[in-house]
Amino acid sequence: MNAPSRTARKCEVAAAWLAAATALVAALFGIVGPYVGGSEPGLRSHIGFVAEAVAVAWILGGLLAGLVAIFAAVRKHRWPARVLFTVALVFLVPEAWGHLNPGAHIVRETGPAIRVASVNLAAWNNRDPLMRASLLELDADVFVFSEITTNWEKRLNAWFREDYPHRAMGIPRIRSGINKGRTRLAIWSRVEPAGAAETFNCNYSPPQVRLPVLWQGRELAIYGIHSPVAFPRAPFMRSYSARADILDWIRKEELPMIVAGDFNATPRSAFMQRFRDFGLTSASEEINGHALLTWPMNKQPMKLFWFAIDHILYSRELAALDFRTGPATKSDHLPIIAEFAWR
């Protein structure tokens, strides 16, 4: 082996070990990151941002680690290949198990169900010939509408004149910067309210809405939320503050509750883990074994580049009976719907 070949081999070995170390550190961030930060949604730092990025790219990271492991094995870099294969298994095996083994939840409740849907209308989606048919097929008892604009409100009023008599609209503060009060969040319900709706405004975010309803003789709090995006670094800090405010708001709830909307967070993020910490369960994970992919369904043809960022969570007083995505529209989000009964 001549000198240039030896140098190239040494560089290749160094690159293999660098890839292995990077994958190992990423795995540690992804595993530990969601659980640090106390009651906050992760860490308000570069470390928190990296942990969020790993949570978002969890499956892609596992696939990449596996591919690099194969290359390292072919090139006879055995120990880096072993580390990379181990990391790939850590990333992918739990995901594969969730997809291959739907939730073992056995529905024993036979009472009437309440259907709650979350639909991101998309503020830019001015003309959508598919939306009306999608909403009619969902036929939810309660709709949580994200990114509802004045134009969308007019259309929905025309489609559902006599339906959904109980409507709560989140009114944002008029301010400069992100949103500028243009997009709102609304809850439309066939179920009778148990009290006045509440709007919660937090910085850098559309308004959040709480609507207490009276269903089957018991009070139930329904939350519609829309957390801001968390990427890149600057939006992450704004999103972190909004997520912390949303968690503090919902954590005080004393009624049984359902929380639905565009969380802009994947299941492994610290934000989602905090909801689990105070007793909420993902309806999709309970029924399907994993969170169904919802975005960006109209921009990427391959589901490998889709993410589960729309969720419906519920408290332990309820049982999830069903969870599914609804018919696709021109929005970049798939609608989701869940059914619940009292335990």
Side-chain angles (χ1 to χ4, degrees), residues 110-165:
T110 58
I114 183 172
R115 298 185 304 277
V116 178
S118 173
V119 181
N120 189 314
L121 299 166
W124 49 265
N125 186 23
N126 294 318
R127 291 179 177 82
D128 192 334
L130 304 175
M131 184 63 73
R132 184 172 184 271
S134 178
L135 298 179
L136 288 171
E137 183 172 327
L138 289 170
D139 192 30
D141 298 306
V142 180
F143 274 112
V144 173
F145 291 119
S146 302
E147 296 193 25
I148 183 170
T149 60
T150 301
N151 288 334
W152 266 121
E153 189 176 6
K154 290 178 180 177
R155 276 188 230 112
L156 294 173
N157 283 330
W159 296 342
F160 302 105
R161 289 183 185 278
E162 306 298 329
D163 211 349
Y164 301 98

Side-chain angles (χ1 to χ4, degrees), residues 53-68:
V54 172
V56 170
W58 188 258
I59 294 178
L60 293 174
L63 292 174
L64 181 60
L67 290 174
V68 178

Side-chain angles (χ1 to χ4, degrees), residues 12 20 22 116 129 150 188 192 251 296 298-299 316 319 332 337:
E12 196 175 287
T22 301
V116 178
T150 301
W188 285 27
E192 180 182 356
R251 192 180 283 114
N298 70 340
K299 295 182 179 179
R316 59 179 60 90
D332 53 347
I337 185 167

Side-chain angles (χ1 to χ4, degrees), residues 245-267:
D245 291 343
I246 291 168
L247 288 169
D248 288 342
W249 179 51
I250 297 178
R251 192 180 283 114
K252 300 172 185 176
E253 184 59 65
E254 297 180 354
L255 294 176
M257 61 177 143
I258 295 172
V259 183
D262 178 0
F263 287 62
N264 270 313
T266 55

